Amino acid sequence: MVRIAPSLLSCDFAHLADEIVRVETAADLLHLDVMDGRFVPNITMGPVIVEAVRKATDLPLDVHMMIVEPDRYLSDFRQAGADMISIHVEACPHVQRTIDQIHQLGALAGAAVNPATPVEQLVDILGELDYVLVMSVNPGFGGQTFWPRALDKIVRLVDMRGQRQRPLIEVDGGINQETGESARKAGADILVAGSYVFGADDPVKRIQNLRGL
Ligand code: DX5
Ligand code: ZN
């Protein structure tokens, strides 16, 4: 069964704890987007916010780091309560070492790939990854349109994984009922959705839609 990760980027930050309550019973994990204004144009949250979210919920926290030199901050985010940490391969010259560092901190480790980055780039470290984050938009902002060729990347990853259980395949950007269904059918294990979930009066219903219920 697919897992759903609401992205807090699209929530009302003035009412963070209440926003978590709105999705908590239906979500499998919470996705937190860390942006630095360098790797991506936008600036969002640091460990302080992750720590506040950690206090508000027992759901696993999935931290998506869209920053240059992520190695410098892995331990801070882990201490703040991150259970899963993904780094962008485009921002890391030594991806294997960074993945190893995330594991040493006791978190699940993911490699995120921008639309222009082929998933084949991960072939030699696939067995070391807990998940691959396939971006279906160029990262930086919520509310963008799904890039359909991401589906082909998911299919290729399923093929690369073969009979193994890992890495899980997470897809992020422009996920709604239709694109979520396409991603599920392609083989995605985790759907991240921000504006589709938090932009609704009934986010629980939206999460159910994403599950295909
Ligand atoms: C975009 C972020 C996404 C974002 C998705 O760079 O990585 O997690 O919150 O937002 P939606 O679902 O609105 O495209
Ligand atoms: Zn994200």
Side-chain angles (χ1 to χ4, degrees), residues 7 9 31 33 35 64 66 135 139-143 172-174 192-195:
S7 171
L9 186 62
H31 184 87
D33 290 300
M35 305 186 191
H64 176 192
M66 286 159 276
M135 290 307 301
F141 302 94
D172 182 10
V192 176
S195 49

Side-chain angles (χ1 to χ4, degrees), residues 7-10 31-33 35 40 64 66 88 133 135 137-145 172-176 192-197:
S7 171
L8 291 176
L9 186 62
S10 295
H31 184 87
L32 294 100
D33 290 300
M35 305 186 191
V40 292
H64 176 192
M66 286 159 276
H88 266 267
L133 176 44
M135 290 307 301
V137 297
N138 282 289
F141 302 94
Q144 301 184 78
T145 303
D172 182 10
I175 293 290
N176 55 35
V192 176
S195 49
Y196 179 68
V197 169

